[in-house]
Amino acid sequence: EVQVVESGGGLVQPGGSLRLSCAASGFTASSYSMNWVRQAPGKGLEWVSVIHSGASTYYADSVKGRFTISRPYSENTLYLQMNSLKTEDTAVYYCARVGSGSLYRAGFDIWGQGTVVTVSS
Amino acid sequence: SYVLTQPPSVSVAPGQTARITCGGNNIGSKSVHWYQQKPGQAPVLVVYDDSDRPSGIPERLSGSNSANTATLTISRVEAGDEADYYCQVWDSSRDHSWVFGGGTKLTVL
C-alpha cells in the first residue's frame, strides 16, 4: 500500500526545536516531489516546504531560514527540522506527495494523517 | 504572492448541485487542484489539473476553470459530501511554491 506516516510532533517552548519525520512506504520517496503542509487550529491549509526529486528545496516565507527539509538518499523518509519555533507555528503538520507527471498538473495525491506541533510556554 | 479566494461557506440541500468557486487573477491559465477534508481527517485530492479525477472519486465531483474563476461542482449532493474544500495552484512566480485557497465549508442541509 502506498502511504506516508508522520511522527515527531509534540509540545515545545517558543525558541525551541523539533524534527518531524515522514516515513514513506509502497513507493520510492526520492523519485517524487515531497511536501510539508500545515494547518493551524481551526484554519486552512498552508504549504510549508518541498523537496524535489532532484533534491532542490523551497520554503514558504513564513518558515524560510528556520525550517530545513531533507531526505537522506539512503532512507525512504522525509524530515522537517524546525528551529526557532514560534507560537504561530502551532499546527498539524502533514506530509504530502506530488503525484506522477507534470509537477504543477499533478496535485498532492498521497497525504499522511498528520502530526501535531504545539509551541507554547 | 498569488491569492486564491473562496467563499467561506456554501449550503445545499441533498440531491441538489453545489458549486464552490475559487477566484484568482487569470486562474484560467493555471492548473487547479481541489481537496476535500472532513473533520479530523487529512485532505483528499478529489480533482487535479482543473477537471481530472483520481481513481475512486465519483463522477458527481467535477471541475472547471476559465478566466478568473475555477469551480468545483458536486452533483446530487449527499450527506457524506459535507466537508471543507480547498483549491490549490502552483505559483511559479514565487520561488516554486504552492498556494491554497482559504477553504469553503460545504453544509448539506
Side-chain angles (χ1 to χ4, degrees):
Chain A
E1 180 186 4
V2 173
Q3 64 177 358
V4 293
V5 178
E6 304 94 335
S7 60
L11 174 64
V12 61
Q13 292 186 340
S17 298
L18 210 56
R19 189 179 80 156
L20 306 183
S21 301
C22 168
S25 58
F27 71 101
T28 302
S30 60
S31 298
Y32 292 83
S33 292
M34 299 293 297
N35 296 266
W36 288 99
V37 176
R38 69 185 180 183
Q39 187 170 35
K43 302 298 184 181
L45 302 174
E46 179 188 15
W47 175 80
V48 173
S49 181
V50 62
I51 183 166
H52 294 304
S53 57
S56 58
T57 59
Y58 298 91
Y59 302 89
D61 287 345
S62 58
V63 306
K64 198 173 295 184
R66 301 187 299 122
F67 290 10
T68 302
I69 190 172
S70 64
R71 185 185 57 210
Y73 191 77
S74 61
E75 302 179 37
N76 207 26
T77 301
L78 180 73
Y79 297 99
L80 186 68
Q81 177 66 43
M82 304 187 296
N83 298 332
S84 304
L85 282 161
K86 306 174 181 180
T87 56
E88 52 263 42
D89 295 319
T90 294
V92 177
Y93 283 73
Y94 295 101
C95 172
R97 185 186 83 169
V98 179
S100 300
S102 169
L103 183 65
Y104 62 93
R105 292 189 183 277
F108 293 4
D109 65 343
I110 302 295
W111 294 69
Q113 84 290 347
T115 187
V116 178
V117 172
T118 303
V119 184
S120 175
S121 55
Chain B
S1 62
Y2 193 77
V3 176
L4 295 173
T5 302
Q6 297 183 237
S9 62
V10 169
S11 299
V12 64
Q16 300 303 304
T17 298
R19 293 179 179 84
I20 299 172
T21 59
C22 176
N25 185 34
N26 196 27
I27 195 173
S29 67
K30 298 182 179 294
S31 178
V32 180
H33 318 303
W34 291 92
Y35 301 87
Q36 176 193 72
Q37 185 181 33
K38 296 182 179 179
Q41 298 183 19
V44 173
L45 181 67
V46 294
V47 168
Y48 67 96
D49 197 15
D50 295 340
S51 57
D52 289 336
R53 281 182 305 276
S55 60
I57 301 301
E59 293 183 6
R60 300 185 299 105
L61 279 70
S62 62
S64 61
N65 186 17
S66 179
N68 294 312
T69 304
T71 303
L72 175 69
T73 301
I74 306 174
S75 304
R76 303 181 298 283
V77 166
E78 304 172 354
D81 296 326
E82 187 162 289
D84 293 326
Y85 292 83
Y86 295 90
C87 59
Q88 178 202 34
V89 300
W90 161 264
D91 184 10
S92 59
S93 67
R94 185 76 175 175
D95 207 17
H96 289 224
S97 64
W98 279 270
V99 177
F100 289 96
T104 298
K105 169 67 176 178
L106 175 66
T107 299
V108 181
L109 300 171

